[in-house]
Amino acid sequence: MSESETGTERSGHAGELAVAVARAHGVETLFTLSGAHVFPMYDGAVKAAPPMRILDVRHEQTAAFAAEATGKLTRVPGLAVLTAGPGVTNGVSAMAQAQFAGSPMVVVGGRAPQNRWGSGSLQELDQPPILASITKSARTIPTAADVTGGFDEAFRLAGSSHRGPVFVDVPMDEFFNQATATVPGGSRPRGADPDTDAVERIARLLADAERPVLVLGTDVWADGAEQAALDLVEALGVPAITNGMGRGIVPGGHPLLVTKARGKAFSGADLVVVVGTPLDFRLGYGVFGGQDDTQPARVVHVADSPGQVAQHATLADSVSGDLTSVFRGLASALEHTDLSAWKAWVEDLQATVREAAARDAELLSAEADPIHPARVYGELLPRLADDAVVIGDGGDFVSFAGKYVEPKRPGGWLDPGPYGCLGAGLGASIAARLARPSSQVVLLLGDGAAGFSLMDVDTLVRHDLPVVMVMGNNSAWALEKGPMQMIYGYDVAADLAQQTRYDEVVKALGGAGETVTDPREIGPAMDRAFAANAPYLVNVITDVDAAYPRNTFGV
């Protein structure tokens, strides 16, 4: 082995070389479900010095969701290794979620042997064309000699703005072949420098505004710009709303966090600056205000890369590039600007936040029978540590989480994002327990969502990964039941079995849990869950008629 300016030269089979490249890029865990097409990756992980952790699951979707969540939490591309054919296609939803959420991940697929291609060997499928539309790149690495360069490119691409999933597959025969190659040194790419003229223009828009609102989204966290964002908020005194993994950048309870006054903020603003999140259905497609014969708000979109700037919305201005540089540029440009005109606007929003919090308190302490879902959060919130990782996997029940849970720190909230994919929760909880070994990990599950992946409690048990799971069990697909009744006056295909004992399923898989039907018992059950040091499900039977009040169905 010899050192060079570009990395380390080494010999080995293609699996060993692939693992070496992944490690150079900061990967610590290989998520997988056993398959012969990718055995060389396992051998490479076992023989690495030190060995790379192999975490095997019960369904490939969980491996891929764990890699996706790892990318979100650590900002280092997660690694999923999926065997050929159905192993790869089982990971499609997680890759699509990563594409929508901008999550850095690399998925390695097995592939039928090249020397048998076209003759019908097991699971012979040309996979890259299937995945091309939901990844940044999807390609076959043809030979063992190409593995180091191909894998290095995959990790660099996944971790570069705008981040996302990259897929590569390697023919089985080439995976076993030997090669000598240079393993490149890993690096963390930085975003492009933003256009300083555009930053200056946006600063002038802010200076001229009377009722501005700043929206901070997932890419602020992904770009490592969370401190610069908070510094800007506090320096300017601008009211802020957070979404996705932007939650916690302005800590819960901060006087400038006005998420609870979201409706008033968006309807009354004269300028909305959206940073690091798309202008999609969650943000009214980029249209704010304009009610009661008032002028719509001017909208500025700030993104980590040019391709993320909205094309469908009418923008007052936009800029893309390294988000820390954008925040610092705005702070510098506005350093000596008198922003006292915002004072009344900020105080008005703060009053609305207080009113909303008072209304919330009634539901958070509700004694209703059946249990109102909000009461679950009333018991959970005082038990959450500041560094807790909270994961949402559900529809209606998790919508309440978005309303009530305001993280105290950034990087501690995982939800389905704009793709709205159920079944990600067990994979995300596995990733969170590995990435944050000393933190609370709380998985909020709808009973519908649990059906996608609850079997992977077995994975939590086998790998000694304690997670607190809190289920809102209303025995229905509530996110669909209410809207269908509204549209047709009836519903079908929206009911599940009544009060299913999902906690008994968890117990059968080696975990622990209990069912709760009395609101006064929710808190004590959660205390037992946090103290158990095991996968523990608190199965709370909730009122199906206490649906989350929503303004949009995502269309």
Side-chain angles (χ1 to χ4, degrees):
M1 188 179 295
S2 63
E3 298 293 331
S4 74
E5 290 184 357
T6 56
T8 302
E9 185 175 274
R10 61 174 297 167
S11 297
H13 61 65
E16 292 176 295
L17 299 177
V19 168
V21 173
R23 171 155 283 161
H25 282 274
V27 173
E28 296 180 354
T29 303
L30 181 162
F31 298 101
T32 194
L33 190 156
S34 188
H37 289 84
V38 291
F39 277 178
M41 289 286 291
Y42 305 157
D43 187 61
V46 168
K47 293 178 178 176
M52 179 177 285
R53 180 193 292 118
I54 298 174
L55 197 142
D56 63 308
V57 301
R58 297 298 305 270
H59 193 307
E60 285 94 356
Q61 70 169 7
T62 300
F65 279 126
E68 192 255 353
T70 296
K72 285 176 174 172
L73 289 166
T74 68
R75 298 181 281 203
V76 171
L79 173 62
V81 177
L82 310 179
T83 197
V88 168
T89 55
N90 281 342
V92 165
S93 289
M95 285 182 261
Q97 176 165 294
Q99 180 81 332
F100 274 76
S103 309
M105 68 182 295
V106 173
V107 178
V108 179
R111 185 177 177 90
Q114 193 62 36
N115 61 12
R116 287 285 190 185
W117 196 261
S119 59
S121 58
L122 176 66
Q123 295 165 346
E124 181 181 304
L125 176 68
D126 191 15
Q127 294 153 165
I130 297 172
L131 303 172
S133 67
I134 56 167
T135 57
K136 293 185 72 174
S137 172
R139 73 182 186 96
T140 296
I141 297 177
T143 70
D146 295 315
V147 161
T148 54
F151 272 62
D152 181 60
E153 179 185 3
F155 279 99
R156 290 181 189 277
L157 186 58
S160 301
S161 301
H162 179 63
R163 296 160 187 83
V166 174
F167 175 81
V168 297
D169 62 11
V170 181
M172 186 177 184
D173 48 346
E174 290 295 331
F175 238 154
F176 281 89
N177 279 348
Q178 298 283 315
T180 298
T182 297
V183 176
S187 65
R188 284 190 159 185
R190 179 183 173 277
D193 291 330
D195 181 343
T196 55
D197 290 341
V199 173
E200 289 283 347
R201 292 195 304 268
I202 294 167
R204 286 196 294 273
L205 288 170
L206 277 164
D208 293 340
E210 295 181 357
R211 300 181 306 280
V213 174
L214 178 65
V215 179
L216 302 173
T218 292
D219 291 333
V220 178
W221 163 259
D223 218 40
E226 66 274 12
Q227 188 59 55
L230 180 59
D231 290 345
L232 179 70
V233 168
E234 294 181 332
L236 302 187
V238 63
I241 291 170
T242 59
N243 78 0
M245 289 203 73
R247 295 164 65 95
I249 290 174
V250 182
H254 193 288
L256 292 169
L257 181 66
V258 298
T259 304
K260 289 185 182 298
R262 174 190 176 106
K264 184 167 192 171
F266 285 160
S267 63
D270 63 356
L271 177 68
V272 180
V273 180
V274 178
V275 186
T277 192
L279 299 178
D280 57 20
F281 69 93
R282 298 170 299 170
L283 291 174
Y285 303 103
V287 178
F288 305 96
Q291 293 92 10
D292 302 323
D293 297 322
T294 61
Q295 288 294 316
R298 292 172 295 177
V299 180
V300 171
H301 200 196
V302 181
D304 63 2
S305 56
Q308 295 303 114
V309 175
Q311 300 300 307
H312 64 274
T314 300
L315 301 178
D317 216 322
S318 65
V319 70
S320 64
D322 176 66
L323 296 182
T324 294
S325 298
V326 173
F327 290 126
R328 289 178 178 167
L330 290 173
S332 177
L334 292 164
E335 186 175 6
H336 302 296
T337 304
D338 180 8
L339 302 173
S340 58
W342 301 352
K343 186 173 185 292
W345 167 242
V346 173
E347 290 175 349
D348 194 16
L349 292 177
Q350 289 171 335
T352 303
V353 168
R354 290 192 294 271
E355 293 165 5
R359 289 193 302 272
D360 290 347
E362 297 180 19
L363 284 178
L364 291 170
S365 58
E367 295 287 345
D369 182 11
I371 295 169
H372 194 289
R375 177 61 184 269
V376 180
Y377 295 103
E379 298 294 340
L380 177 62
L381 294 179
R383 291 171 168 83
L384 284 179
D386 286 358
D387 66 345
V389 180
V390 179
I391 301 156
D393 188 8
D396 207 69
F397 180 61
V398 173
S399 295
F400 283 99
K403 180 179 178 66
Y404 297 125
V405 179
E406 290 191 333
K408 296 290 188 181
R409 298 181 187 176
W413 172 268
L414 293 170
D415 63 22
Y419 192 51
C421 188
L422 299 183
L426 266 294
S429 63
I430 291 166
R433 175 46 67 220
L434 295 177
R436 309 279 173 81
S438 62
S439 298
Q440 292 172 333
V441 175
V442 179
L443 171 58
L444 305 171
L445 273 173
D447 53 325
F452 287 86
S453 62
L454 197 61
M455 189 67 194
D456 262 301
V457 166
D458 172 77
T459 302
L460 296 176
V461 171
R462 285 185 296 109
H463 292 277
D464 190 22
L465 302 173
V467 170
V468 172
M469 295 167 279
V470 179
M471 176 181 287
N473 183 347
N474 57 15
S475 305
W477 298 102
L479 200 62
E480 286 68 39
K481 188 179 181 72
M484 191 172 184
Q485 289 174 341
M486 181 186 70
I487 295 169
Y488 294 111
Y490 70 92
D491 66 87
V492 294
D495 291 313
L496 298 169
Q498 291 293 305
Q499 301 190 10
T500 299
R501 292 296 303 272
Y502 295 101
D503 53 306
E504 295 293 340
V505 176
V506 171
K507 289 179 183 178
L509 293 171
E514 57 189 287
T515 289
V516 178
T517 57
D518 183 338
R520 295 167 296 182
E521 289 301 316
I522 299 171
M526 288 182 179
D527 290 336
R528 289 187 286 272
F530 281 117
N533 196 35
Y536 197 109
L537 176 64
V538 180
N539 179 28
V540 185
I541 307 301
T542 59
D543 183 2
V544 69
D545 293 323
Y548 183 78
R550 61 188 68 252
N551 298 319
T552 175
F553 299 124
V555 295

